[in-house]
Amino acid sequence: MTGPAFTPRVFSGIQPSGGLTLGNYLGALKRFVEMQNDASHECVFCLVDLHAITVWQDPKALAQQTREAAAGFMAAGIDPAQSILFNQSQVAAHAELAWLFNCVARMGWMGRMTQWKDKSGKNTENASLGLFAYPALMAADILAYHATHVPVGEDQKQHLELTRDIATKFNHDFGVDFFPITEPVIDGPATRVMSLRDGTKKMSKSDPSDMSRINLSDDADTIAQKFRKARTDPEPLPETYGDLKDRPEARNLIDIYAALTGKSTDTVMSDVAGQGWGQFKPHLAEVAAETMAPITDEMNRLLGDPGEIDRILGEGSAKAREISEPIVARTRDIMGMISSG
Ligand code: TYM
């Protein structure tokens, strides 16, 4: 069966559940900007506040974090005149399509998600129902726009496979070719930036230790201190990237450096081979601070006018509704629901 040709459209989202990290920047934001600037895709970027509340969020902090994330997107280069930038809860199509998908997706699929297992931990009885259904809402985010490409970090791969499963099952159950089978876009040296304290854990905004991550809001001194204290092994840097196979902390710092400079990991290795950490870490910190400082400054400037951020998110939401409402209306129609409009 050859499906309809879907217009190339990028969708991606970030949870405003804390400040943005270098992992979000290198694994997601930086690549969103590249996709926006490669004019072949229409881009839709979303601050997924409905996902954030699957675990407890203080209401005042959530609003502030959402504005901070919006400012971070714009400071990193997302242009709201070129891309659609909005917060999820302003577009009811997401919650509505998520409900329809809750009735397509299977409990077993959700139970196998590693994020569900990690976040619910040993106390699944007390986890929110929303946390369990999280991936159906994520599928709704993507499919409400008939998005064809979704740039994400490595940790979202399983959720994107589930999005494809939901689209496939819907199309099959209702005998239609209505939802696209979305392509995950997971590439570059920084699809999984690791914690600076533990090379086996990903860098995360929810890690209790602030020293484990670089925040988009950190100043140059803080960045330098965090890289100086980053956990490493005692060996100097080897000749080839392959030699870092069993050295996760060292490999992570090389990956970060490669992603920041846009150099291949092979080129980086030939530049730094033989260096000790005392030489490499300050250099890495300098490169990171140079890249991040203009973004942090611009983010803080934008945050000085929260009304303007809210206005931009409102405008983005209106554009997002224009695309998603007809798609969700058609979904209802396919499922046999009567509409009077
Ligand atoms: P979230 O908010 O955890 O992360 C946002 C994006 O940043 C990437 N990322 C990383 N990349 C590399 N290294 C890291 N340490 C790192 N930490 C985070 C994530 O892979 C992601 O691309 N469920 C999603 C949000 C979401 C979404 C969507 C994404 C909701 N709906 C629809 C794409 C499409 C999440 O929690 O991302």
Side-chain angles (χ1 to χ4, degrees):
M1 179 163 72
T2 52
F6 289 95
T7 315
R9 185 177 284 144
V10 169
F11 182 96
S12 203
I14 291 192
Q15 291 195 70
S17 48
L20 298 178
T21 69
L22 184 64
N24 295 133
Y25 176 68
L26 295 175
L29 257 183
K30 186 167 186 279
R31 295 166 55 236
F32 298 171
V33 175
E34 286 160 9
M35 290 185 102
Q36 166 192 270
N37 295 345
D38 155 20
S40 60
H41 295 87
E42 180 183 9
C43 293
V44 184
F45 297 117
C46 183
L47 309 166
V48 294
D49 45 12
L50 296 175
H51 276 108
I53 59 161
T54 57
V55 297
W56 168 251
Q57 301 293 332
D58 174 72
K60 280 205 190 77
L62 181 62
Q64 180 57 19
Q65 285 159 196
T66 306
R67 290 189 187 105
E68 260 175 48
F73 267 69
M74 291 188 276
I78 295 299
D79 172 4
Q82 226 181 315
S83 297
I84 298 176
L85 177 64
F86 71 108
N87 61 309
Q88 191 184 26
S89 57
Q90 291 205 61
V91 181
H94 293 245
E96 185 178 355
L97 189 59
W99 177 260
L100 303 180
F101 285 167
N102 281 343
C103 302
V104 173
R106 308 287 93 182
M107 298 275 285
W109 299 359
M110 301 292 166
R112 281 193 284 278
M113 294 293 109
T114 50
Q115 177 182 287
W116 158 251
K117 292 186 206 163
D118 291 350
K119 282 202 174 173
S120 61
K122 292 197 174 64
N123 196 3
T124 52
E125 290 291 308
N126 204 32
S128 75
L129 189 53
L131 188 65
F132 190 65
Y134 182 114
L137 177 59
M138 191 161 154
D141 295 341
I142 296 166
L143 296 173
Y145 298 86
H146 275 184
T148 53
H149 296 83
V150 182
V152 282
E154 178 73 36
D155 60 334
Q156 296 301 315
K157 194 172 172 194
Q158 198 185 28
H159 285 154
L160 293 189
E161 278 160 11
L162 195 125
T163 299
R164 291 163 68 96
D165 290 344
I166 290 179
T168 305
K169 182 161 161 43
F170 183 96
N171 288 346
H172 176 265
D173 287 355
F174 296 98
V176 290
D177 241 344
F178 184 61
F179 286 117
I181 309 303
T182 302
E183 285 299 326
V185 185
I186 304 175
D187 53 28
T191 55
R192 194 169 172 79
V193 177
M194 307 310 277
S195 154
L196 299 181
R197 309 301 293 164
D198 176 351
T200 64
K201 272 183 18 194
K202 78 164 183 174
M203 182 180 284
S204 163
K205 47 191 170 247
S206 55
D207 193 302
S209 161
D210 194 56
M211 291 302 283
S212 70
R213 63 179 161 264
I214 305 288
N215 303 301
L216 228 53
S217 54
D218 287 344
D219 60 23
D221 288 346
T222 312
I223 293 176
Q225 192 202 18
K226 286 180 176 176
F227 278 123
R228 200 168 51 243
K229 297 217 162 141
R231 196 170 141 189
T232 41
D233 52 40
E235 303 299 319
L237 284 157
E239 299 280 319
T240 69
Y241 188 70
D243 293 333
L244 292 172
K245 191 164 65 65
D246 300 318
R247 298 173 61 185
E249 282 90 8
R251 196 177 59 227
N252 186 38
L253 296 188
I254 293 294
D255 286 342
I256 292 175
Y257 184 83
L260 283 169
T261 56
K263 293 183 181 172
S264 73
T265 46
D266 286 342
T267 311
V268 172
M269 290 318 291
S270 62
D271 291 350
V272 303
Q275 287 188 13
W277 295 109
Q279 192 178 356
F280 179 70
K281 280 178 168 180
H283 183 48
L284 170 61
E286 204 179 304
V287 170
E290 259 168 33
T291 313
M292 310 306 281
I295 300 175
T296 310
D297 291 351
E298 178 61 4
M299 190 169 99
N300 290 333
R301 191 189 68 77
L302 291 167
L303 281 168
D305 189 352
E308 175 62 6
I309 296 178
D310 293 2
R311 193 194 63 74
I312 290 169
L313 293 177
E315 225 173 66
S317 301
K319 291 189 212 157
R321 281 194 288 270
E322 261 173 49
I323 304 175
S324 56
E325 277 175 1
I327 291 177
V328 177
R330 178 77 188 115
T331 312
R332 283 197 305 262
D333 186 36
I334 291 170
M335 295 178 91
M337 289 162 192
I338 294 169
S339 70
S340 50

